[in-house]
Amino acid sequence: MYAVIGKVEIKPNRADEALSMIEGGVAMVRGMPGSGGGYWARTVDGELIQHSFWLFDTEANARAAEATYNTLRDMPDAPATLVSVDVCEVIGQT
């Protein structure tokens, strides 16, 4: 199993807009080949950072999702700025 782990910084006064976009993100991740679901989380203190954790069955499918995530770099009007995105092998779970 592989994970695409992304980090974005929510722009000032755009937290609600970014939150409303998660519904579309859920549908997008569900429709990706090999998707095993996804999670989104936000910091509770300080700078407003949002993390995405998407699961995939193969590295190839995770890399395809990473390419989609990277399109945030080309969206200057998005409510968040892309900080990072990584493809990781899942090496343990509870």
Side-chain angles (χ1 to χ4, degrees):
M1 183 180 333
Y2 291 82
V4 175
I5 302 172
K7 178 179 178 181
V8 298
E9 181 178 345
I10 306 298
K11 294 176 182 174
N13 303 314
R14 302 203 53 198
D16 290 341
E17 183 183 352
L19 186 61
S20 70
M21 292 182 72
I22 290 176
E23 186 175 317
V26 169
M28 179 187 68
V29 171
R30 279 188 185 147
M32 291 179 165
S35 173
Y39 299 87
W40 289 258
R42 283 192 178 173
T43 55
V44 293
D45 292 320
E47 195 174 19
L48 192 53
I49 301 294
Q50 184 169 293
H51 299 274
S52 302
F53 187 87
W54 304 347
L55 295 171
F56 293 90
D57 60 348
T58 67
E59 182 179 0
N61 285 334
R63 294 278 176 206
E66 174 190 33
T68 299
Y69 201 102
N70 269 316
T71 63
L72 285 175
R73 295 184 196 278
D74 301 325
M75 298 173 61
D77 293 334
T81 301
L82 177 62
V83 175
S84 65
V85 61
D86 295 294
V87 171
C88 303
E89 183 177 7
V90 176
I91 58 172
Q93 70 180 66
T94 59

Coordinates of all heavy atoms in Angstrom, one line a residue:
M1 N 0.9 -1.2 0.0 CA 0.0 0.0 0.0 C 0.9 1.2 0.0 O 2.0 1.2 0.6 CB -0.9 0.0 1.2 CG -1.9 1.1 1.3 SD -3.0 1.2 2.7 CE -3.1 -0.5 3.2
Y2 N 0.4 2.3 -0.7 CA 1.2 3.5 -0.8 C 0.3 4.7 -0.4 O -1.0 4.6 -0.5 CB 1.7 3.7 -2.2 CG 2.8 2.7 -2.5 CD1 2.4 1.4 -2.9 CD2 4.1 3.0 -2.4 CE1 3.4 0.5 -3.2 CE2 5.1 2.1 -2.6 CZ 4.7 0.8 -3.0 OH 5.7 -0.1 -3.3
A3 N 0.9 5.7 0.1 CA 0.2 6.9 0.5 C 0.7 8.2 -0.2 O 1.9 8.3 -0.4 CB 0.3 7.1 2.0
V4 N -0.2 9.0 -0.6 CA 0.1 10.4 -1.0 C -0.2 11.3 0.1 O -1.3 11.4 0.6 CB -0.7 10.7 -2.3 CG1 -0.4 12.2 -2.7 CG2 -0.4 9.8 -3.4
I5 N 0.9 11.9 0.6 CA 0.7 12.8 1.8 C 1.0 14.2 1.3 O 2.2 14.5 0.9 CB 1.6 12.4 2.9 CG1 1.3 10.9 3.3 CG2 1.5 13.3 4.1 CD1 2.3 10.3 4.3
G6 N 0.0 15.1 1.4 CA 0.2 16.5 0.9 C 0.0 17.4 2.1 O -0.7 17.2 3.1
K7 N 0.6 18.6 1.9 CA 0.5 19.7 2.9 C 0.2 21.0 2.2 O 0.9 21.3 1.2 CB 1.8 19.7 3.7 CG 1.9 20.8 4.7 CD 3.2 20.8 5.4 CE 3.3 21.9 6.5 NZ 4.6 21.9 7.1
V8 N -0.8 21.7 2.6 CA -1.1 23.0 2.0 C -1.2 24.0 3.2 O -1.6 23.7 4.3 CB -2.4 23.0 1.2 CG1 -2.2 22.1 0.0 CG2 -3.6 22.7 2.0
E9 N -1.0 25.3 2.9 CA -1.2 26.3 3.8 C -2.4 27.1 3.3 O -2.5 27.6 2.2 CB 0.0 27.3 3.8 CG -0.1 28.4 4.8 CD 1.1 29.3 4.9 OE1 2.1 28.9 4.4 OE2 0.9 30.4 5.4
I10 N -3.4 27.2 4.2 CA -4.7 27.9 3.9 C -4.4 29.4 3.9 O -3.8 29.9 4.8 CB -5.8 27.5 4.9 CG1 -6.0 26.0 5.0 CG2 -7.1 28.2 4.5 CD1 -6.4 25.3 3.8
K11 N -4.8 30.0 2.8 CA -4.6 31.5 2.7 C -5.5 32.2 3.7 O -6.6 31.7 4.0 CB -5.0 31.9 1.3 CG -4.0 31.4 0.2 CD -4.4 31.7 -1.2 CE -3.4 31.1 -2.2 NZ -3.8 31.4 -3.6
P12 N -5.1 33.4 4.1 CA -5.9 34.2 5.1 C -7.4 34.4 4.6 O -7.6 34.7 3.4 CB -5.2 35.5 5.2 CG -3.8 35.2 4.7 CD -3.9 34.1 3.7
N13 N -8.3 34.2 5.5 CA -9.7 34.4 5.3 C -10.3 33.5 4.3 O -11.4 33.8 3.7 CB -10.0 35.9 4.9 CG -9.5 36.9 6.0 OD1 -9.7 36.7 7.2 ND2 -8.8 37.9 5.5
R14 N -9.7 32.3 4.0 CA -10.2 31.4 3.0 C -10.4 30.0 3.5 O -10.5 29.1 2.8 CB -9.3 31.4 1.8 CG -9.2 32.8 1.2 CD -8.8 33.0 -0.2 NE -9.5 32.3 -1.2 CZ -9.1 32.2 -2.4 NH1 -7.9 32.6 -2.7 NH2 -9.8 31.5 -3.3
A15 N -10.4 29.9 4.9 CA -10.5 28.6 5.5 C -11.9 27.9 5.1 O -11.9 26.7 4.9 CB -10.4 28.7 7.0
D16 N -13.0 28.6 5.2 CA -14.3 28.0 4.9 C -14.3 27.6 3.4 O -14.9 26.5 3.1 CB -15.4 29.0 5.1 CG -15.6 29.3 6.6 OD1 -15.1 28.5 7.4 OD2 -16.2 30.3 7.0
E17 N -13.7 28.4 2.5 CA -13.7 28.0 1.1 C -12.9 26.7 0.9 O -13.3 25.8 0.2 CB -13.1 29.1 0.3 CG -13.1 28.9 -1.2 CD -12.4 30.0 -2.0 OE1 -12.1 31.1 -1.4 OE2 -12.2 29.9 -3.2
A18 N -11.7 26.6 1.6 CA -10.9 25.4 1.5 C -11.6 24.2 2.0 O -11.6 23.1 1.4 CB -9.6 25.6 2.2
L19 N -12.3 24.4 3.1 CA -13.1 23.3 3.7 C -14.2 22.8 2.8 O -14.4 21.6 2.6 CB -13.7 23.7 5.1 CG -14.4 22.7 5.9 CD1 -13.4 21.6 6.3 CD2 -15.0 23.3 7.1
S20 N -14.9 23.7 2.1 CA -15.9 23.3 1.2 C -15.4 22.5 0.0 O -16.2 21.8 -0.6 CB -16.7 24.5 0.8 OG -16.0 25.3 -0.1
M21 N -14.2 22.7 -0.3 CA -13.6 22.0 -1.5 C -13.3 20.5 -1.2 O -13.1 19.7 -2.1 CB -12.3 22.7 -2.0 CG -12.6 24.1 -2.6 SD -11.1 24.9 -3.2 CE -10.8 23.9 -4.6
I22 N -13.3 20.2 0.1 CA -12.9 18.8 0.5 C -14.0 17.8 -0.1 O -13.6 16.7 -0.5 CB -12.8 18.6 2.0 CG1 -11.5 19.4 2.4 CG2 -12.7 17.2 2.4 CD1 -11.2 19.4 3.9
E23 N -15.2 18.2 -0.1 CA -16.3 17.3 -0.7 C -15.9 16.9 -2.1 O -16.0 15.7 -2.5 CB -17.6 18.0 -0.7 CG -18.7 17.1 -1.1 CD -20.1 17.7 -0.9 OE1 -20.3 18.4 0.1 OE2 -20.9 17.6 -1.9
G24 N -15.4 17.8 -2.9 CA -15.0 17.5 -4.3 C -13.7 16.7 -4.3 O -13.6 15.8 -5.1
G25 N -12.9 16.9 -3.3 CA -11.7 16.1 -3.1 C -12.0 14.7 -2.8 O -11.3 13.7 -3.3
V26 N -13.0 14.5 -2.0 CA -13.4 13.1 -1.6 C -13.8 12.3 -2.8 O -13.4 11.2 -3.1 CB -14.5 13.1 -0.5 CG1 -15.1 11.7 -0.3 CG2 -13.9 13.6 0.8
A27 N -14.7 13.0 -3.6 CA -15.2 12.3 -4.9 C -14.0 12.1 -5.8 O -14.0 11.0 -6.5 CB -16.2 13.2 -5.5
M28 N -13.1 13.0 -5.9 CA -12.0 12.9 -6.8 C -11.1 11.7 -6.4 O -10.8 10.8 -7.2 CB -11.1 14.1 -6.9 CG -9.9 14.0 -7.8 SD -8.8 15.5 -7.6 CE -8.2 15.2 -6.0
V29 N -10.8 11.6 -5.1 CA -9.9 10.5 -4.7 C -10.6 9.1 -4.8 O -10.0 8.1 -5.3 CB -9.5 10.7 -3.2 CG1 -8.8 9.5 -2.6 CG2 -8.6 11.9 -3.1
R30 N -11.9 9.1 -4.5 CA -12.7 7.8 -4.7 C -12.6 7.3 -6.2 O -12.7 6.1 -6.4 CB -14.1 8.0 -4.3 CG -14.4 8.0 -2.9 CD -15.9 8.0 -2.6 NE -16.1 8.0 -1.1 CZ -17.1 8.6 -0.5 NH1 -18.0 9.3 -1.3 NH2 -17.2 8.6 0.8
G31 N -12.6 8.3 -7.1 CA -12.6 7.9 -8.5 C -11.2 7.6 -9.1 O -11.2 7.2 -10.2
M32 N -10.2 7.7 -8.3 CA -8.9 7.5 -8.8 C -8.6 6.0 -8.8 O -9.0 5.3 -7.9 CB -7.8 8.2 -8.0 CG -7.8 9.7 -8.1 SD -6.6 10.4 -7.1 CE -6.5 12.1 -7.8
P33 N -7.9 5.5 -9.8 CA -7.5 4.0 -9.9 C -6.8 3.6 -8.6 O -5.8 4.3 -8.2 CB -6.6 3.9 -11.1 CG -7.0 5.1 -12.0 CD -7.4 6.2 -11.0
G34 N -7.2 2.5 -8.1 CA -6.5 1.9 -6.9 C -6.7 2.6 -5.6 O -6.0 2.3 -4.6
S35 N -7.7 3.6 -5.5 CA -7.9 4.3 -4.3 C -8.3 3.5 -3.2 O -9.2 2.6 -3.3 CB -8.9 5.4 -4.6 OG -9.2 6.1 -3.3
G36 N -7.7 3.7 -2.0 CA -8.1 3.0 -0.8 C -8.7 4.0 0.2 O -8.8 3.7 1.4
G37 N -9.1 5.2 -0.3 CA -9.7 6.2 0.6 C -8.7 7.3 0.9 O -7.6 7.3 0.5
G38 N -9.2 8.3 1.6 CA -8.4 9.4 2.0 C -8.8 10.1 3.3 O -10.0 9.9 3.7
Y39 N -7.9 10.9 3.8 CA -8.2 11.6 5.0 C -7.7 13.1 4.8 O -6.7 13.2 4.2 CB -7.5 11.0 6.3 CG -8.0 9.6 6.5 CD1 -7.4 8.5 5.9 CD2 -9.1 9.4 7.4 CE1 -7.8 7.2 6.2 CE2 -9.5 8.1 7.7 CZ -8.9 7.0 7.0 OH -9.3 5.8 7.3
W40 N -8.3 14.0 5.5 CA -7.9 15.4 5.5 C -7.9 15.9 6.9 O -8.8 15.6 7.7 CB -8.8 16.3 4.6 CG -8.8 16.0 3.2 CD1 -8.1 16.8 2.3 CD2 -9.3 15.0 2.4 NE1 -8.2 16.3 1.0 CE2 -9.0 15.2 1.0 CE3 -10.1 13.9 2.7 CZ2 -9.4 14.3 0.0 CZ3 -10.5 13.0 1.7 CH2 -10.1 13.2 0.4
A41 N -6.9 16.6 7.3 CA -6.8 17.1 8.7 C -6.2 18.5 8.7 O -5.4 18.8 7.8 CB -5.9 16.1 9.5
R42 N -6.6 19.2 9.7 CA -6.1 20.6 9.9 C -5.4 20.8 11.2 O -5.9 20.2 12.2 CB -7.2 21.6 9.7 CG -7.7 21.8 8.3 CD -8.6 23.0 8.3 NE -9.0 23.3 6.9 CZ -9.9 24.1 6.6 NH1 -10.5 24.9 7.5 NH2 -10.2 24.3 5.3
T43 N -4.5 21.7 11.3 CA -3.9 22.0 12.5 C -4.9 22.7 13.4 O -5.9 23.3 12.9 CB -2.7 23.0 12.3 OG1 -3.1 24.1 11.6 CG2 -1.5 22.3 11.6
V44 N -4.8 22.6 14.7 CA -5.7 23.2 15.6 C -5.2 24.5 16.3 O -5.9 25.3 16.8 CB -6.2 22.2 16.7 CG1 -7.0 21.1 16.1 CG2 -5.1 21.7 17.5
D45 N -3.9 24.7 16.2 CA -3.3 25.9 16.8 C -2.3 26.5 15.7 O -1.7 25.8 14.9 CB -2.5 25.5 18.0 CG -3.3 25.0 19.1 OD1 -4.4 25.6 19.4 OD2 -2.9 24.1 19.8
G46 N -2.2 27.8 15.8 CA -1.2 28.5 15.0 C -1.6 28.6 13.6 O -2.8 28.7 13.2
E47 N -0.6 28.6 12.7 CA -0.8 28.7 11.3 C -1.8 27.6 10.8 O -1.7 26.5 11.2 CB 0.6 28.5 10.6 CG 0.7 28.9 9.2 CD 2.1 28.7 8.7 OE1 3.0 28.0 9.3 OE2 2.4 29.4 7.7
L48 N -2.7 28.0 9.9 CA -3.7 27.0 9.4 C -3.1 26.2 8.3 O -2.9 26.6 7.1 CB -4.9 27.8 8.9 CG -6.1 26.9 8.6 CD1 -6.5 26.0 9.8 CD2 -7.3 27.8 8.3
I49 N -2.7 25.0 8.6 CA -2.1 24.0 7.7 C -3.1 22.8 7.5 O -3.7 22.4 8.5 CB -0.8 23.5 8.2 CG1 0.2 24.6 8.4 CG2 -0.2 22.4 7.3 CD1 0.7 25.3 7.2
Q50 N -3.2 22.4 6.3 CA -4.1 21.2 6.0 C -3.3 20.1 5.4 O -2.5 20.3 4.5 CB -5.2 21.6 5.1 CG -6.2 20.5 4.8 CD -7.4 21.1 4.1 OE1 -8.2 21.9 4.6 NE2 -7.6 20.7 2.8
H51 N -3.5 18.9 6.0 CA -2.8 17.7 5.5 C -3.8 16.8 4.8 O -4.9 16.7 5.2 CB -2.1 17.0 6.6 CG -1.1 17.8 7.4 ND1 0.2 17.9 7.0 CD2 -1.2 18.6 8.5 CE1 0.9 18.6 7.8 NE2 0.0 19.1 8.8
S52 N -3.3 16.2 3.7 CA -4.1 15.2 3.0 C -3.4 13.9 3.1 O -2.1 13.8 2.9 CB -4.3 15.6 1.6 OG -4.9 16.8 1.5
F53 N -4.1 12.8 3.3 CA -3.5 11.4 3.4 C -4.3 10.5 2.5 O -5.4 10.2 2.9 CB -3.5 11.0 4.8 CG -2.7 9.7 5.1 CD1 -1.3 9.7 5.3 CD2 -3.4 8.5 5.1 CE1 -0.7 8.5 5.5 CE2 -2.7 7.3 5.3 CZ -1.3 7.3 5.5
W54 N -3.9 10.2 1.3 CA -4.6 9.4 0.4 C -3.9 8.0 0.2 O -2.7 8.0 0.1 CB -4.7 10.0 -1.0 CG -5.2 11.4 -1.0 CD1 -5.9 12.1 -0.1 CD2 -5.2 12.3 -2.2 NE1 -6.3 13.4 -0.5 CE2 -5.8 13.5 -1.8 CE3 -4.6 12.2 -3.4 CZ2 -5.9 14.6 -2.7 CZ3 -4.7 13.3 -4.3 CH2 -5.3 14.5 -3.9
L55 N -4.7 7.0 0.2 CA -4.1 5.6 0.1 C -4.4 5.0 -1.2 O -5.5 5.2 -1.8 CB -4.8 4.7 1.2 CG -4.4 5.1 2.6 CD1 -5.3 4.3 3.6 CD2 -3.0 4.9 2.9
F56 N -3.4 4.2 -1.7 CA -3.5 3.6 -3.0 C -2.9 2.2 -3.0 O -2.0 1.9 -2.2 CB -2.8 4.4 -4.1 CG -3.5 5.7 -4.4 CD1 -3.2 6.9 -3.6 CD2 -4.6 5.8 -5.3 CE1 -3.9 8.0 -3.8 CE2 -5.3 7.0 -5.4 CZ -4.9 8.1 -4.7
D57 N -3.3 1.4 -3.9 CA -2.9 0.0 -3.9 C -1.5 -0.2 -4.5 O -0.8 -1.2 -4.1 CB -3.9 -0.9 -4.7 CG -4.1 -0.5 -6.1 OD1 -3.6 0.6 -6.5 OD2 -4.7 -1.3 -6.9
T58 N -1.0 0.7 -5.4 CA 0.3 0.5 -6.0 C 1.0 1.8 -6.0 O 0.4 2.9 -6.0 CB 0.2 0.0 -7.5 OG1 -0.5 1.0 -8.3 CG2 -0.6 -1.3 -7.6
E59 N 2.3 1.8 -6.2 CA 3.1 3.0 -6.3 C 2.7 3.8 -7.6 O 2.6 5.0 -7.6 CB 4.6 2.7 -6.3 CG 5.4 3.9 -6.4 CD 6.9 3.7 -6.4 OE1 7.4 2.5 -6.3 OE2 7.7 4.7 -6.4
A60 N 2.5 3.1 -8.7 CA 2.1 3.7 -9.9 C 0.8 4.5 -9.7 O 0.7 5.7 -10.2 CB 1.9 2.7 -11.0
N61 N -0.2 4.0 -9.1 CA -1.4 4.7 -8.8 C -1.2 5.9 -7.9 O -1.8 7.0 -8.1 CB -2.5 3.8 -8.3 CG -3.1 2.9 -9.4 OD1 -3.1 3.2 -10.5 ND2 -3.6 1.7 -9.0
A62 N -0.3 5.7 -6.9 CA 0.0 6.8 -6.0 C 0.7 8.0 -6.8 O 0.5 9.1 -6.5 CB 0.8 6.3 -4.8
R63 N 1.6 7.6 -7.7 CA 2.3 8.6 -8.5 C 1.4 9.4 -9.4 O 1.5 10.6 -9.6 CB 3.4 7.9 -9.3 CG 4.5 7.3 -8.5 CD 5.6 8.3 -8.1 NE 6.6 7.7 -7.2 CZ 7.3 8.3 -6.3 NH1 7.1 9.6 -6.1 NH2 8.2 7.7 -5.6
A64 N 0.4 8.7 -9.9 CA -0.6 9.4 -10.7 C -1.4 10.4 -9.9 O -1.7 11.5 -10.3 CB -1.5 8.4 -11.4
A65 N -1.7 10.0 -8.7 CA -2.4 10.9 -7.8 C -1.5 12.1 -7.4 O -2.0 13.2 -7.2 CB -2.9 10.1 -6.5
E66 N -0.3 11.8 -7.2 CA 0.7 12.9 -6.8 C 0.7 13.9 -7.9 O 0.7 15.1 -7.7 CB 2.1 12.3 -6.7 CG 3.2 13.3 -6.4 CD 4.6 12.7 -6.5 OE1 4.8 11.7 -7.3 OE2 5.4 13.2 -5.8
A67 N 0.7 13.5 -9.2 CA 0.7 14.4 -10.3 C -0.6 15.3 -10.3 O -0.5 16.5 -10.5 CB 0.7 13.6 -11.6
T68 N -1.7 14.7 -9.9 CA -3.0 15.5 -9.8 C -2.8 16.5 -8.6 O -3.2 17.7 -8.8 CB -4.2 14.5 -9.5 OG1 -4.3 13.7 -10.6 CG2 -5.4 15.3 -9.3
Y69 N -2.3 16.1 -7.5 CA -2.1 16.9 -6.4 C -1.2 18.1 -6.7 O -1.5 19.3 -6.3 CB -1.5 16.2 -5.2 CG -1.7 16.8 -3.8 CD1 -2.7 16.3 -3.0 CD2 -0.9 17.9 -3.4 CE1 -2.9 16.9 -1.7 CE2 -1.1 18.5 -2.2 CZ -2.1 18.0 -1.3 OH -2.3 18.5 -0.1
N70 N -0.2 17.8 -7.5 CA 0.7 18.9 -7.9 C 0.1 20.0 -8.8 O 0.7 21.1 -8.9 CB 2.0 18.3 -8.6 CG 3.1 18.0 -7.6 OD1 3.4 18.8 -6.8 ND2 3.7 16.8 -7.8
T71 N -1.1 19.7 -9.4 CA -1.7 20.7 -10.2 C -2.1 21.9 -9.3 O -2.4 23.0 -9.9 CB -2.9 20.2 -10.9 OG1 -3.9 19.8 -10.0 CG2 -2.5 19.1 -11.9
L72 N -2.1 21.8 -8.0 CA -2.4 22.9 -7.1 C -1.4 24.1 -7.3 O -1.7 25.2 -7.1 CB -2.4 22.5 -5.7 CG -3.6 21.7 -5.2 CD1 -3.4 21.3 -3.7 CD2 -4.9 22.6 -5.2
R73 N -0.2 23.7 -7.8 CA 0.8 24.7 -8.0 C 0.4 25.7 -9.1 O 0.8 26.8 -9.2 CB 2.1 24.1 -8.4 CG 2.8 23.3 -7.3 CD 4.1 22.7 -7.8 NE 4.6 21.7 -6.9 CZ 5.2 21.8 -5.8 NH1 5.4 23.0 -5.3 NH2 5.7 20.8 -5.1
D74 N -0.5 25.2 -10.0 CA -0.9 26.0 -11.2 C -2.2 26.7 -11.0 O -2.8 27.1 -11.9 CB -1.0 25.0 -12.4 CG 0.3 24.3 -12.7 OD1 1.4 25.0 -12.5 OD2 0.3 23.2 -13.1
M75 N -2.7 26.7 -9.7 CA -4.0 27.3 -9.4 C -3.8 28.5 -8.5 O -4.0 28.4 -7.2 CB -4.9 26.3 -8.8 CG -5.2 25.1 -9.7 SD -6.1 23.8 -8.8 CE -7.6 24.7 -8.3
P76 N -3.4 29.7 -9.0 CA -3.1 30.8 -8.1 C -4.3 31.3 -7.3 O -4.1 32.0 -6.3 CB -2.5 31.9 -9.1 CG -3.0 31.5 -10.4 CD -3.2 30.0 -10.4
D77 N -5.5 31.1 -7.8 CA -6.7 31.5 -7.1 C -7.2 30.5 -6.1 O -8.2 30.8 -5.5 CB -7.8 31.9 -8.1 CG -7.4 33.0 -9.0 OD1 -6.6 33.9 -8.5 OD2 -7.9 33.1 -10.1
A78 N -6.5 29.4 -5.9 CA -7.0 28.4 -5.0 C -6.9 29.0 -3.6 O -6.1 29.9 -3.3 CB -6.1 27.1 -5.1
P79 N -7.7 28.5 -2.6 CA -7.8 29.0 -1.3 C -6.6 28.5 -0.4 O -6.5 28.9 0.7 CB -9.1 28.4 -0.7 CG -9.3 27.2 -1.5 CD -8.8 27.5 -2.9
A80 N -5.7 27.7 -1.0 CA -4.5 27.2 -0.3 C -3.3 27.2 -1.2 O -3.4 27.1 -2.4 CB -4.8 25.8 0.2
T81 N -2.1 27.3 -0.6 CA -0.9 27.2 -1.3 C -0.2 25.8 -1.0 O -0.1 25.4 0.1 CB 0.1 28.3 -0.8 OG1 -0.6 29.6 -1.0 CG2 1.4 28.3 -1.6
L82 N 0.2 25.1 -2.1 CA 0.8 23.8 -1.9 C 2.2 24.0 -1.3 O 3.0 24.8 -1.7 CB 1.0 23.2 -3.3 CG 1.7 21.8 -3.3 CD1 0.9 20.8 -2.5 CD2 1.9 21.4 -4.7
V83 N 2.4 23.3 -0.2 CA 3.7 23.3 0.5 C 4.5 22.1 0.1 O 5.7 22.2 -0.3 CB 3.5 23.3 2.0 CG1 4.8 23.2 2.8 CG2 2.7 24.5 2.5
S84 N 3.9 20.9 0.1 CA 4.6 19.7 -0.3 C 3.7 18.6 -0.6 O 2.5 18.6 -0.2 CB 5.6 19.3 0.8 OG 4.8 18.9 2.0
V85 N 4.2 17.6 -1.3 CA 3.4 16.3 -1.6 C 4.5 15.2 -1.7 O 5.5 15.4 -2.4 CB 2.5 16.4 -2.8 CG1 3.2 16.7 -4.1 CG2 1.6 15.2 -2.9
D86 N 4.2 14.1 -1.1 CA 5.2 13.0 -1.1 C 4.4 11.7 -1.3 O 3.3 11.5 -0.9 CB 5.9 12.9 0.2 CG 6.8 14.0 0.5 OD1 7.8 14.2 -0.2 OD2 6.5 14.8 1.5
V87 N 5.0 10.8 -2.0 CA 4.5 9.4 -2.2 C 5.3 8.6 -1.2 O 6.6 8.6 -1.2 CB 4.6 8.9 -3.6 CG1 4.3 7.4 -3.6 CG2 3.7 9.7 -4.5
C88 N 4.7 7.8 -0.3 CA 5.3 7.0 0.7 C 4.8 5.6 0.7 O 3.6 5.4 0.4 CB 5.0 7.6 2.1 SG 5.5 9.3 2.3
E89 N 5.7 4.7 1.0 CA 5.2 3.3 1.1 C 4.7 3.1 2.6 O 5.4 3.6 3.5 CB 6.4 2.3 0.9 CG 6.0 0.9 1.0 CD 7.1 -0.1 0.7 OE1 8.2 0.3 0.6 OE2 6.8 -1.3 0.7
V90 N 3.5 2.6 2.7 CA 3.0 2.3 4.0 C 3.7 1.1 4.6 O 3.7 0.0 4.0 CB 1.4 2.1 4.0 CG1 0.9 1.8 5.4 CG2 0.8 3.3 3.4
I91 N 4.4 1.3 5.7 CA 5.2 0.2 6.3 C 4.7 -0.3 7.6 O 5.3 -1.2 8.2 CB 6.7 0.7 6.4 CG1 6.7 1.9 7.3 CG2 7.3 1.0 5.1 CD1 8.2 2.4 7.7
G92 N 3.5 0.2 8.1 CA 2.9 -0.3 9.3 C 1.5 0.3 9.5 O 1.2 1.3 8.9
Q93 N 0.7 -0.4 10.3 CA -0.6 0.1 10.6 C -1.0 -0.5 11.9 O -0.5 -1.5 12.3 CB -1.6 -0.2 9.5 CG -2.0 -1.6 9.3 CD -3.0 -1.8 8.2 OE1 -2.6 -1.6 7.1 NE2 -4.1 -2.3 8.6
T94 N -2.1 0.0 12.5 CA -2.6 -0.5 13.8 C -3.8 -1.3 13.5 O -4.5 -1.1 12.5 CB -2.9 0.6 14.8 OG1 -3.9 1.5 14.3 CG2 -1.6 1.3 15.2

